[in-house]
Amino acid sequence: MVQIPKQQPAPVPAPDAPNSPPDSVPQGTPHSVPTSADVARLAGVSRATVSYVLNNTSAVRISEPTRRRVHAAAKELGYVPHAAARSLRAGHSRMVLMPTPQIAVGPLFSEFINELQWALSRFDYTVVQYGSLGLTGEEAARAWAELRPVAVLAPDAIALGARGVAVLKRSGAKAVFTLGPQRADGAHALLMDQRLVGRAAAAHLLAQGRRRIGVIVPEEPGLEAFSQPRLDGVRTAVRTVEGCSVAELPLAYTEDSAARLVDGWRSLGLDGVFAYNDEYAMLLMRALQDEGITVPDDIAVVGADDLMLARLLRPRLSSVRIELPSGRSLAELVDRVVREPGGRAEVHDVLGASVVHRESS
Amino acid sequence: MVQIPKQQPAPVPAPDAPNSPPDSVPQGTPHSVPTSADVARLAGVSRATVSYVLNNTSAVRISEPTRRRVHAAAKELGYVPHAAARSLRAGHSRMVLMPTPQIAVGPLFSEFINELQWALSRFDYTVVQYGSLGLTGEEAARAWAELRPVAVLAPDAIALGARGVAVLKRSGAKAVFTLGPQRADGAHALLMDQRLVGRAAAAHLLAQGRRRIGVIVPEEPGLEAFSQPRLDGVRTAVRTVEGCSVAELPLAYTEDSAARLVDGWRSLGLDGVFAYNDEYAMLLMRALQDEGITVPDDIAVVGADDLMLARLLRPRLSSVRIELPSGRSLAELVDRVVREPGGRAEVHDVLGASVVHRESS
């Protein structure tokens, strides 16, 4: 562990300290934050005019020279508008809050979030992410509500519930969305129905003639919201097929756990396995191969997420490819609900799943 | 691509709409956001008393029954304090802004960020992450300054520069830190010197008797801030060793790119390679093995990040393990600088690097 010293060298008094900005940077009032009043004074205009110019108000006509004078004064003083003050005046904010799940997210979801942030910024929203810090339900909602977001996109692992949604709405949020496999009363749902992932994997294994199917269920906390519906999806898919069975296989993301699972593998009598995702699939395949169990002859293996990893394994890994909506279409949806908040709770299925068939199945 | 419909069903008027909270949830004033004045009225106390109670002010003694009455009224109305209003009154916020890099972060960094958020929340800071959306320098600083954070921990890929730091300070930020391989004038630096990663990898390869060393440099944009100093670290490490050479090997994270690189591999005459990280190492190793080039006999391979992946490859991958400071020690540092903002810019080396030797080298 890298150590950061708790003691600091005695603070050095200011004048020539290396953290004062270099001479070329305008200083403004050195020890106070510049305000719109300072900008107004320097530009020789009213505070209202400063506000019209810097907020690009189209309702008021302001001459080009005045506009330029205000911008020049703001720049010289280093003035930036205060988002919170502006939203207090306007009675609402443009902040979209995206609480982040505590689990590490894969490249697909991370790209989706980036694209969504970018698209929302085009609609002039400020997107902030907020670590959930283990809070759930009403408690999480109260922490978020303090920031007075106009919209919230909450991963449903937070389990907001009807009360949490109500807390957010009373604090002024016009649009509350849950993002994940479940719904919350009163919130719009961007349903990411993980059962579809399990169903796609199972349908593929069935089509390959496999009938005794194992499903890896990660033991790591926080993944239940994904693993349980994926397991349910497999169960649903095999229900109508004669002579099929489904075995739940708990697995921690460690070599030891994989070795233990594979130790009694042959007695399980399985011929196909859906490994939760590509990383667990790699862990399992490695343990199977080290034990002399061949893929796909002895056992067909399917992962999920279609990572680059899947193509690099030998045999190449079959994987469920997950599709998410474009950030742009989602940003349009959020903006519409913010502008017309009165409507019914909407439910949008936003997850697609299809198997990429490679050599492991 | 999953489609979200642009047309919506006509909004249904409110009374029995399914998104009104269920009866058991207290309603407050139905169409307005409850204020501290509402809480004061219901509890039969002054607004000042509400503020003292809900902000846990220790300077003012308030009786336990009054305290309980205020909490009960706040709960009944669904009132939550307004962070922005509070910070406007107090003249400063408790918000720590952590702009997030646009590149996907690995599990190590993601865990580090989670731990840091949690530790800062114990010091009563609100940590918000903010997508950088491709903004850099002063422009990024102005966007962040609108949120009036009391502290900023900026990934240095944003290239704040002295001017960006000055913008933030003038907006009231008491502590500006850069987080990454470079420094910015006027900001405190949590230096993550990526050269150490390259140096550790090279020192290990040299110790294994390798002398003609290739260094994978990802072609993906946004990674230069990591890949270039890692390459520099390798160059520094071999400088004093007789007869050593370093070859820069650009590689995109695709099978095609790896196949092209490996196609002319033997003519490069290399005997060791530092593959940037474990994922690029896996991509390279797979391509080498498919071409009949054996690891480590023909070529020693070292990755970085020490992912689980490294242990699952055959041969098992040697990897540079990167260590970051505990979130707690970093939170203490941030809090100290916020409370005593006058000092010199501090530089803390927060990255440790050591090789885990396995079979690939």
Side-chain angles (χ1 to χ4, degrees), chain A residues 7 89 124-125 218 305:
Chain A
Q7 302 296 325
R89 279 196 306 274
D124 200 28
Y125 292 101
D305 291 346

Side-chain angles (χ1 to χ4, degrees), chain A residues 8 19 26 80 83 86 88 102 114 117 129 131 146 148 170 253 286 290 308 312 314 336 340, chain B residues 8 26 80 83 86 88 102 114 117 129 131 146 148 170 253 286 290 308 312 314 336 340 343:
Chain A
Q8 71 165 139
N19 61 349
V80 286
R86 191 165 53 193
L88 282 175
Q102 279 209 284
N114 276 338
Q117 288 200 359
Q129 290 171 270
E146 291 203 8
R148 294 293 192 273
R170 271 199 305 268
Y253 195 55
R286 172 55 63 204
D290 286 354
M308 164 68 88
L312 298 178
R314 299 293 179 267
R336 171 165 63 70
E340 301 162 5
Chain B
Q8 72 165 140
V80 287
R86 193 166 52 195
L88 281 176
Q102 280 209 285
N114 276 337
Q117 288 200 1
Q129 291 171 268
E146 291 203 9
R148 294 294 191 273
R170 270 198 307 268
Y253 194 54
R286 172 55 63 204
D290 286 354
M308 163 69 87
L312 297 177
R314 297 293 179 267
R336 171 166 63 69
E340 302 162 6

Side-chain angles (χ1 to χ4, degrees), chain A residues 164-232:
Chain A
V165 174
V167 164
L168 289 169
K169 288 193 172 174
R170 271 199 305 268
S171 82
K174 293 193 162 54
V176 180
F177 288 86
T178 58
L179 199 69
Q182 277 135 33
R183 295 189 54 187
D185 272 345
H188 304 283
L190 301 170
L191 263 194
M192 297 186 170
D193 188 349
Q194 298 291 328
R195 287 174 303 184
L196 298 178
V197 179
R199 268 165 66 180
H204 171 75
L205 288 169
L206 291 172
Q208 302 302 310
R210 310 292 166 145
R211 290 294 179 269
R212 296 178 304 284
I213 295 173
V215 179
I216 296 291
V217 177
E219 290 178 350
E220 281 68 26
L223 298 180
E224 303 83 4
F226 298 85
S227 60
Q228 284 305 322
R230 287 184 186 191
L231 175 61
D232 290 346

Side-chain angles (χ1 to χ4, degrees), chain B residues 22-336:
Chain B
D23 288 342
S24 63
V25 177
Q27 297 288 318
T29 352
H31 287 293
S32 71
V33 178
T35 65
S36 65
D38 299 329
V39 178
R41 205 171 304 123
L42 184 62
V45 300
S46 69
R47 277 189 68 180
T49 303
V50 171
S51 162
Y52 294 145
V53 171
L54 296 182
N55 294 318
N56 269 316
T57 311
S58 56
V60 183
R61 279 192 64 110
I62 294 183
S63 75
E64 205 40 50
T66 304
R67 203 175 279 279
R68 254 178 279 149
R69 227 164 47 239
V70 169
H71 280 296
K75 191 161 183 212
E76 183 174 337
L77 294 173
Y79 171 76
V80 287
H82 190 320
R86 193 166 52 195
S87 69
L88 281 176
R89 278 196 307 275
H92 60 82
S93 78
R94 296 292 289 176
M95 182 194 288
V96 177
L97 189 67
M98 296 189 59
T100 47
Q102 280 209 285
I103 52 170
V105 298
L108 177 78
F109 198 74
S110 147
E111 194 182 307
F112 166 71
I113 297 286
N114 276 337
E115 198 188 306
L116 178 57
Q117 288 200 1
W118 195 84
L120 283 166
S121 78
R122 308 304 292 179
F123 284 100
D124 200 28
Y125 292 101
T126 299
V127 181
V128 305
Q129 291 171 268
Y130 190 89
S132 61
L133 304 171
L135 297 182
T136 57
E138 251 186 294
E139 211 184 0
R142 263 196 297 272
W144 305 341
E146 291 203 9
L147 296 169
R148 294 294 191 273
V150 72
V152 177
L153 303 180
D156 70 4
I158 308 288
L160 270 186
R163 284 168 172 272
V165 174
V167 164
L168 289 169
K169 290 193 171 174
R170 270 198 307 268
S171 82
K174 293 193 162 53
V176 180
F177 288 86
T178 57
L179 199 69
Q182 278 135 33
R183 295 189 55 185
D185 272 345
H188 303 284
L190 300 171
L191 263 193
M192 297 187 170
D193 188 348
Q194 298 289 329
R195 286 175 303 185
L196 298 179
V197 179
R199 267 165 64 181
H204 171 75
L205 288 168
L206 292 172
Q208 301 302 311
R210 311 289 167 146
R211 291 293 178 271
R212 293 178 307 283
I213 295 173
V215 179
I216 296 290
V217 177
E219 290 179 351
E220 281 68 25
L223 298 180
E224 303 83 3
F226 298 84
S227 61
Q228 284 306 321
R230 288 184 185 190
L231 175 61
D232 289 347
V234 172
R235 290 212 162 105
T236 307
V238 306
R239 194 159 293 154
T240 55
V241 181
E242 195 77 32
C244 257
S245 67
V246 174
E248 186 176 339
L249 307 172
L251 175 65
Y253 194 54
T254 66
E255 286 186 280
D256 275 358
S257 179
R260 270 197 304 277
L261 174 60
V262 165
D263 200 35
W265 190 262
R266 291 180 207 271
S267 66
L268 294 170
L270 302 173
D271 58 11
V273 64
F274 169 50
Y276 177 69
N277 73 13
D278 290 350
E279 287 166 306
Y280 285 84
M282 181 183 185
L283 175 63
L284 176 66
M285 255 173 64
R286 172 55 63 204
L288 290 168
Q289 290 172 332
D290 286 354
E291 194 68 16
I293 298 165
T294 57
V295 177
D297 295 346
D298 295 334
I299 182 93
V301 178
V302 178
D305 291 344
D306 192 27
L307 300 180
M308 163 69 87
L309 178 63
R311 272 159 280 171
L312 297 177
L313 300 181
R314 297 293 179 267
R316 292 170 201 268
L317 181 66
S318 299
S319 184
V320 180
R321 176 183 293 155
I322 295 171
E323 289 182 355
L324 295 176
S326 74
R328 196 195 154 78
S329 63
L330 217 50
E332 280 170 2
L333 174 64
V334 170
D335 183 57
R336 171 166 63 69

